[in-house]
């Protein structure tokens, strides 16, 4: 085991107040395309740029085109995906009483499906939907079986409970996420380059000296991070769990 991975594993083994902050890198390891990678959705060609399609104004003005893109390029891959080794490790760490919260930028529900209970989904989740008129809840299955734009029984348009461009993050979720981070002894950042704002700025609430980064590529200002591992998140967590459980 690489020295820095062993050091991180030892820190995790000895701590009972860990918070995990994750991004798209976890999802890509489960086969969900990343928006910003070379092969991601932002670098593919559509009638409209993906950034435009997943904006609030576009959703309101052209829900038909939004849902064509959303069902095919967002929901499709998410429904085919399964939790990977990192998701399962985090669920195990919570079960062991070590992990106090998962803060995620992802909307794919994989942390829930892995078994985590305390999850702050900064950008919402595709697996919850609601009527914009009467606020009745709908499942992802309701979205998929609808022909074109899904409508509520009251006639209102159903919207995924995700934060689109031009929309604000949920204030209660922000508060709880930042509170968890500020109270943590150990903060693990994984699968994110920390460039998506305002979510990326939340890690600044951590004031400890056990800040851990697990990411394939480098991120800005790595010098402020105490432990840096450039590798696949699932691989690293597999090694960490082997160390903890031996």
């Amino acid at each position: 085991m690489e020295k820095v991975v062993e050091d991180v594993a030892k820190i995790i083994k000895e701590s009972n107040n860990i918070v995990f902050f994750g991004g798209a890198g976890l999802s890509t390891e489960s086969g969900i395309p990343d928006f910003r990678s070379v092969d991601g959705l932002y670098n593919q060609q559509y009638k409209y740029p993906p950034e435009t399609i997943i904006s609030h104004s576009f959703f309101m003005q052209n829900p038909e085109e939004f849902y064509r893109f959303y069902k095919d390029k967002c929901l499709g891959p998410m429904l085919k995906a399964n939790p990977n080794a990192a998701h399962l490790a985090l669920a195990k760490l919570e079960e062991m009483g070590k992990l106090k919260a998962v803060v995620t930028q992802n909307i794919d529900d994989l942390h829930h499906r892995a078994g985590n209970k305390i999850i702050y989904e900064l950008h919402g989740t595709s697996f919850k939907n609601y009527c914009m008129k009467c606020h009745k809840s709908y499942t992802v299955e309701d979205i998929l079986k609808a022909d074109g734009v899904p409508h509520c029984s009251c006639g209102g348009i159903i919207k995924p409970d995700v934060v689109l461009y031009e929309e604000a993050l949920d204030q209660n979720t922000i508060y709880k996420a930042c509170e968890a981070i500020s109270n943590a002894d150990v903060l693990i950042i994984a699968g994110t380059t920390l460039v998506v704002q305002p979510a990326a700025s939340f890690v600044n609430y951590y004031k400890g000296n056990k800040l851990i980064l697990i990411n394939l590529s480098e991120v800005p200002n790595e010098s402020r991070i105490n432990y840096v591992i450039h590798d696949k998140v699932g691989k690293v967590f597999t090694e960490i769990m082997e160390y903890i459980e031996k």
Side-chain angles (χ1 to χ4, degrees):
M1 182 184 289
E2 185 183 346
K3 179 63 165 61
V4 66
V5 177
E6 185 173 351
D7 290 343
V8 167
K10 184 177 180 181
I11 288 170
I12 292 173
K13 187 171 186 175
E14 295 175 351
S15 176
N16 291 314
N17 188 8
I18 303 166
V19 169
F20 177 85
F21 182 96
L26 265 74
S27 300
T28 56
E29 290 188 26
S30 286
I32 299 173
D34 177 12
F35 273 23
R36 290 172 176 79
S37 66
V38 174
D39 298 319
L41 293 178
Y42 281 5
N43 292 293
Q44 298 179 27
Q45 297 300 313
Y46 298 99
K47 185 177 179 181
Y48 301 92
E51 305 100 311
T52 299
I53 297 175
I54 56 175
S55 67
H56 177 81
S57 56
F58 189 92
F59 175 82
M60 298 301 294
Q61 295 164 13
N62 198 342
E64 295 86 358
E65 187 68 21
F66 171 88
Y67 268 111
R68 274 196 290 272
F69 174 87
Y70 179 72
K71 289 180 183 181
D72 182 33
K73 299 301 180 183
C74 296
L75 281 185
M78 288 180 198
L79 290 169
K80 293 176 183 176
N82 291 306
N84 60 51
H87 295 105
L88 297 174
L90 291 166
K92 180 66 175 179
L93 289 172
E94 183 181 287
E95 183 184 315
M96 294 169 69
K98 294 182 171 298
L99 184 72
K100 299 308 179 187
V102 168
V103 181
T104 180
Q105 300 174 82
N106 301 330
I107 60 173
D108 51 37
D109 203 51
L110 289 177
H111 287 293
H112 280 287
R113 284 188 268 168
N116 279 107
K117 302 292 189 293
I118 304 173
I119 309 167
Y120 301 123
E121 296 166 311
L122 299 177
H123 298 147
T125 172
S126 290
F127 287 71
K128 293 181 181 178
N129 307 272
Y130 66 94
C131 172
M132 298 181 71
K133 186 176 179 182
C134 74
H135 299 286
K136 180 179 177 180
S137 296
Y138 286 88
T139 66
V140 69
E141 289 76 19
D142 294 321
I143 299 297
L144 289 171
K145 70 184 181 183
D147 185 16
V149 179
H151 285 82
C152 176
S153 54
C154 77
I157 292 177
I158 300 171
K159 180 184 180 295
D161 194 9
V162 298
V163 180
L164 302 177
Y165 283 112
E166 305 166 352
E167 295 179 344
L169 304 189
D170 178 75
Q171 291 299 308
N172 188 48
T173 302
I174 291 175
Y175 175 79
K176 289 181 178 179
C178 292
E179 182 180 44
I181 290 170
S182 65
N183 291 331
D185 291 335
V186 178
L187 177 61
I188 305 171
I189 303 168
T192 176
T193 53
L194 294 176
V195 296
V196 179
Q197 298 293 350
S201 65
F202 296 168
V203 302
N204 296 327
Y205 283 86
Y206 177 68
K207 304 303 180 185
N209 60 358
K210 296 172 183 176
L211 180 59
I212 299 162
L213 171 71
I214 307 169
N215 199 57
L216 270 177
S217 60
E218 293 184 7
V219 306
N221 302 315
E222 278 192 359
S223 59
R224 67 186 172 126
I225 299 171
N226 305 112
Y227 301 88
V228 177
I229 303 169
H230 290 304
D231 208 337
K232 289 187 176 181
V233 184
K235 175 177 176 289
V236 174
F237 267 102
T238 297
E239 295 174 355
I240 287 171
M241 295 309 294
E242 287 174 351
Y243 180 91
I244 290 174
E245 294 177 329
K246 70 180 179 181

